[in-house]
């Protein structure tokens, strides 16, 4: 799949983002990482959900920097589909992991408290911290 296919399938749309919009999305990602770290010893479900949101915001910043945004219907799913195409094959497994965690996040937000283990919360936070750094570096390189 490529950008044109994602556009035709109405999973993404073109978007001319300002530098400020990109910066704000990255700021949200960093804020969410900090919050997820604070929550790790208090509530694994919420630490997990907030770390996931940090990833989502970093992905949105990357999309904005590339001139796109997700369509609002299934926006999280569309964001990860875009990232599979956009960021490079070396990150394919990581994007797949985050996409799988999307379903787990939905479960813990909407269906069942206590669904996340300490290991799962720690794993996503660790991966999210690395990923936000990678995305920030990729965006900085493109400027």
């Amino acid at each position: 799949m490529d950008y044109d296919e994602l556009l035709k399938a109405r999973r993404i749309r073109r978007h001319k983002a300002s530098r400020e919009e990109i910066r704000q999305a990255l700021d949200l990602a960093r804020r969410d990482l900090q919050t997820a770290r604070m929550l790790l010893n208090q509530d694994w479900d919420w630490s997990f959900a907030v770390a996931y949101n940090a990833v989502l915001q970093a992905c949105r910043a990357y999309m904005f920097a590339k001139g796109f945004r997700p369509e609002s219907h299934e926006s999280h799913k569309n964001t990860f589909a875009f990232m599979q195409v956009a960021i490079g094959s070396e990150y394919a497994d990581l994007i797949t992991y985050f996409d799988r965690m999307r379903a787990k996040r939905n479960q813990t937000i909407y269906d069942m408290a206590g669904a996340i283990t300490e290991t799962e919360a720690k794993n996503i936070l660790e991966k999210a911290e690395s990923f936000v750094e990678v995305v920030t570096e990729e965006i900085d390189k493109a400027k």
Side-chain angles (χ1 to χ4, degrees):
M1 192 166 273
D2 61 18
Y3 293 153
D4 288 334
E5 291 172 308
L6 290 169
L7 286 163
K8 284 180 189 171
R10 296 190 172 173
R11 298 189 73 184
I12 62 171
R13 60 184 152 113
R14 296 200 185 278
H15 177 70
K16 186 172 176 144
S18 66
R19 287 183 192 257
E20 179 65 12
E21 191 174 7
I22 296 165
R23 186 193 61 75
Q24 285 176 357
L26 287 173
D27 286 350
L28 288 171
R30 288 190 276 281
R31 177 209 62 193
D32 288 349
L33 287 174
Q34 184 178 4
T35 302
R37 273 186 232 108
M38 284 185 339
L39 288 169
L40 189 58
N41 293 321
Q42 300 169 30
D43 189 317
W44 300 328
D45 287 353
W46 279 109
S47 179
F48 180 98
V50 176
Y52 168 90
N53 201 64
V55 169
L56 187 67
Q57 292 301 332
C59 290
R60 287 173 49 80
Y62 192 82
M63 288 184 82
F64 295 163
K66 293 289 187 181
F68 298 96
R69 73 174 306 124
E71 283 293 349
S72 56
H73 178 72
E74 296 187 324
S75 66
H76 294 208
K77 191 174 188 177
N78 294 335
T79 298
F80 292 123
F82 173 87
M83 293 303 287
Q84 282 290 3
V85 170
I87 199 159
S89 60
E90 67 267 32
Y91 299 105
D93 289 345
L94 191 56
I95 299 300
T96 298
Y97 166 80
F98 290 134
D99 192 35
R100 280 195 331 267
M101 295 306 102
R102 175 178 54 81
K104 190 93 173 166
R105 174 235 172 226
N106 284 352
Q107 180 185 26
T108 195
I109 295 290
Y110 301 113
D111 298 332
M112 182 174 64
I116 303 300
T117 66
E118 180 180 12
T119 299
E120 289 171 317
K122 285 180 176 178
N123 283 345
I124 197 169
L125 180 54
E126 181 181 303
K127 289 176 184 345
E129 288 171 333
S130 298
F131 185 73
V132 170
E133 278 184 41
V134 165
V135 168
T136 301
E137 289 169 10
E138 291 295 318
I139 290 171
D140 287 346
K141 276 195 261 181
K143 288 182 184 175

